Amino acid sequence: MQTPAARFGTRDAHWRTWQWQLRHALTTAEELERIVPLTAAERRGLALAAERGLRVAVTPYYAALADPAHPSCPVRRQAIPTDAEFEPAPGDLRDPLGEDGRRPARAIVHRYPDRALLLATDRCAVYCRHCTRRRVTLTGDGALSREDLARAIEYLRAAPAIRDVIVSGGDPLVLDDDRLDELLAALRTVPHVKVLRLATRAPVVLPMRIDARLAARLRRHAPLFVVTHFNHPKECTDEARAACEALVDAGVPVENQTVLLRGVNSSARLLRDLFETLLEWRVRPYYLHQGDLAEGTGHFRTPVEAGVGILEELRGTTSGLAIPHLAVDLPGGGGKVTLQPEYRLPTPAGGGAWFRNRRGERYLYPDPPGRDCTCPYEQVYYGTSGAAGGRGGKGAT
Ligand SMILES: *Cc1c(COP(=O)(O)O)cnc(C)c1O
Ligand code: SF4
């Protein structure tokens, strides 16, 4: 069997460097055709993407995972456009989460009082066809300059309620180590920003980007969580595992967000397999996202009930740690809400709470003897009671 490097006419040493992978990303029908025989739909999709100026790029590493025999291959579906991407669907929005109205600085999206996104770049290693921010990543919103980033830091500095910053994009791990370090160090000069998250698909599409050295550099900015984006067990390779484990070993927790994609991973069996594998790697499944209404992604969207049904199948048949929150990011910018199967039954006359379990059996949780849930010591702890005290508390006294 040929090694993937040999299939691409290069040496293993090149294959294993992320810069080589980015430089040799496949971007045209001609280049992709050498790896997978393209279907007519993929060919039309690539032609339309070229015509409309939508970016296409697939790292050789990710392309090597594609199944040449099956157009339904999850790697192909996520990375190679088809003509379905150009068919309008009901509810399509250019800016599905209403982010552009919440950009106080070009590189900031600020929707929740305490959290903000920092868009570090408009570039990615692979341009996912289902990307929710495709108006930025696929169309090229324009690169973010150093001044944009400086202005973003200024905005954060002047907003003391922000405690959690998600460095996103684009994929911040296409930046080189020095640039990334500079950015994280700048964020760390803002004292009220306690938690950093780095949202990246590198473990999935460019795992050679992450090694012990990078992990140690990221660790210096702790608490920093890496949030990645695996969608299918086929993406769970030895290289991907090594990337995730390098981060966790260094003290950088890794969380995963999966996008529910119709006909790609819309199956409880596939997702259980994916989430269990990630958990073994110490990567915690965090969100399962209902598809956003981004233009060109209608063919990927599932009915809301499909996600709830999948969650119902997972609950009780795998570790709770392997089950993510099912989230719908409300169209137009309403924020995220989470869904779960309904286990509560209507309250009967006698009070208490009735539930059904996953087998449909009914159980009663009786009302407790007391109902007042005030915590009397809370006032003391925060130093807000009239009485002396609050020492060691967290209150502003
Ligand atoms: C999803 C999101 C967050 C983070 O939400 P969590 O539920 O804390 O993970 C923050 N800001 C924006 C704009 C988001 O879309
Ligand atoms: S890596 Fe993330 S930001 Fe980039 S195209 Fe994929 S989903 Fe979008």
Side-chain angles (χ1 to χ4, degrees), residues 169-315:
D171 192 330
L173 283 189
V174 303
L175 303 176
D176 67 31
D177 288 5
D178 290 340
R179 192 75 202 281
L180 188 67
D181 225 13
E182 188 186 316
L183 179 64
L184 296 173
L187 284 167
R188 279 290 174 231
T189 67
V190 184
H192 52 265
V193 171
K194 307 292 185 200
V195 172
L196 297 179
R197 306 189 222 179
L198 186 75
T200 174
R201 230 190 159 191
V204 186
V205 297
L206 188 69
M208 47 293 281
R209 177 69 184 91
I210 297 162
D211 57 12
R213 250 190 80 242
L214 177 72
R217 276 182 97 153
L218 294 178
R219 174 66 178 82
R220 287 210 294 272
H221 303 286
L224 180 150
F225 294 73
V226 162
V227 182
T228 188
H229 174 180
F230 284 89
N231 283 338
H232 195 280
K234 197 171 162 61
E235 297 168 334
C236 296
T237 64
D238 292 345
E239 291 92 331
R241 176 180 197 149
C244 293
E245 292 190 334
L247 291 166
V248 181
D249 284 347
V252 178
V254 184
E255 314 279 321
N256 185 71
Q257 316 201 65
T258 293
V259 181
L260 188 53
L261 300 169
R262 193 170 65 88
V264 176
N265 63 7
S266 48
S267 136
R269 181 186 182 183
L270 284 170
L271 289 180
R272 184 187 294 113
D273 190 1
L274 173 66
F275 298 151
E276 287 177 353
T277 302
L278 292 174
L279 193 62
E280 262 181 63
W281 299 357
R282 292 169 289 162
V283 173
R284 170 85 159 93
Y286 175 46
Y287 275 135
L288 173 61
H289 289 287
Q290 175 73 21
D292 293 331
L293 298 180
E295 260 172 7
T297 64
H299 57 299
F300 283 127
R301 283 177 223 144
T302 53
V304 170
E305 284 318 311
V308 176
I310 287 171
L311 221 61
E312 169 118 46
E313 283 193 62
L314 296 183
R315 183 61 67 191

Side-chain angles (χ1 to χ4, degrees), residues 366-391:
D367 281 336
R371 302 191 71 95
D372 175 8
C373 296
T374 321
C375 300
Y377 192 75
E378 183 174 342
Q379 303 273 324
V380 181
Y381 183 72
Y382 290 109
T384 47
S385 74
R391 278 202 301 154

Side-chain angles (χ1 to χ4, degrees), residues 49-258:
E51 198 183 296
R52 316 262 169 104
L54 290 191
R55 287 174 178 159
V56 172
V58 193
T59 52
Y61 163 82
Y62 197 61
L65 302 181
D67 187 333
H70 296 281
S72 57
C73 161
V75 169
R76 289 171 69 164
R77 296 285 316 277
Q78 290 181 74
I80 305 176
T82 63
D83 45 8
E85 192 172 317
F86 300 89
E87 286 160 19
D92 270 358
L93 294 168
R94 198 188 104 78
D95 177 14
L97 305 179
E99 292 184 331
D100 289 343
R102 292 177 171 82
R103 286 171 80 170
R106 190 157 170 264
I108 296 275
V109 178
H110 189 188
R111 182 165 62 198
Y112 302 108
D114 61 322
R115 285 154 283 168
L117 301 185
L118 178 81
L119 307 181
T121 171
D122 67 333
R123 296 261 157 197
C124 298
V126 168
Y127 293 102
C128 310
R129 306 328 298 175
H130 56 276
C131 183
T132 187
R133 214 167 283 132
R134 47 190 278 137
R135 73 185 186 288
V136 174
T137 54
L138 265 60
T139 56
D141 188 48
L144 290 144
S145 65
R146 274 204 157 69
E147 293 74 72
D148 288 326
L149 293 177
R151 228 161 283 137
I153 303 288
E154 264 170 55
Y155 176 80
L156 295 172
R157 201 183 298 288
I162 298 176
R163 161 194 66 66
D164 179 352
V165 172
I166 300 157
V167 182
S168 182
D171 192 330
L173 283 189
V174 303
L175 303 176
D176 67 31
D177 288 5
D178 290 340
R179 192 75 202 281
L180 188 67
D181 225 13
E182 188 186 316
L183 179 64
L184 296 173
L187 284 167
R188 279 290 174 231
T189 67
V190 184
H192 52 265
V193 171
K194 307 292 185 200
V195 172
L196 297 179
R197 306 189 222 179
L198 186 75
T200 174
R201 230 190 159 191
V204 186
V205 297
L206 188 69
M208 47 293 281
R209 177 69 184 91
I210 297 162
D211 57 12
R213 250 190 80 242
L214 177 72
R217 276 182 97 153
L218 294 178
R219 174 66 178 82
R220 287 210 294 272
H221 303 286
L224 180 150
F225 294 73
V226 162
V227 182
T228 188
H229 174 180
F230 284 89
N231 283 338
H232 195 280
K234 197 171 162 61
E235 297 168 334
C236 296
T237 64
D238 292 345
E239 291 92 331
R241 176 180 197 149
C244 293
E245 292 190 334
L247 291 166
V248 181
D249 284 347
V252 178
V254 184
E255 314 279 321
N256 185 71
Q257 316 201 65
T258 293

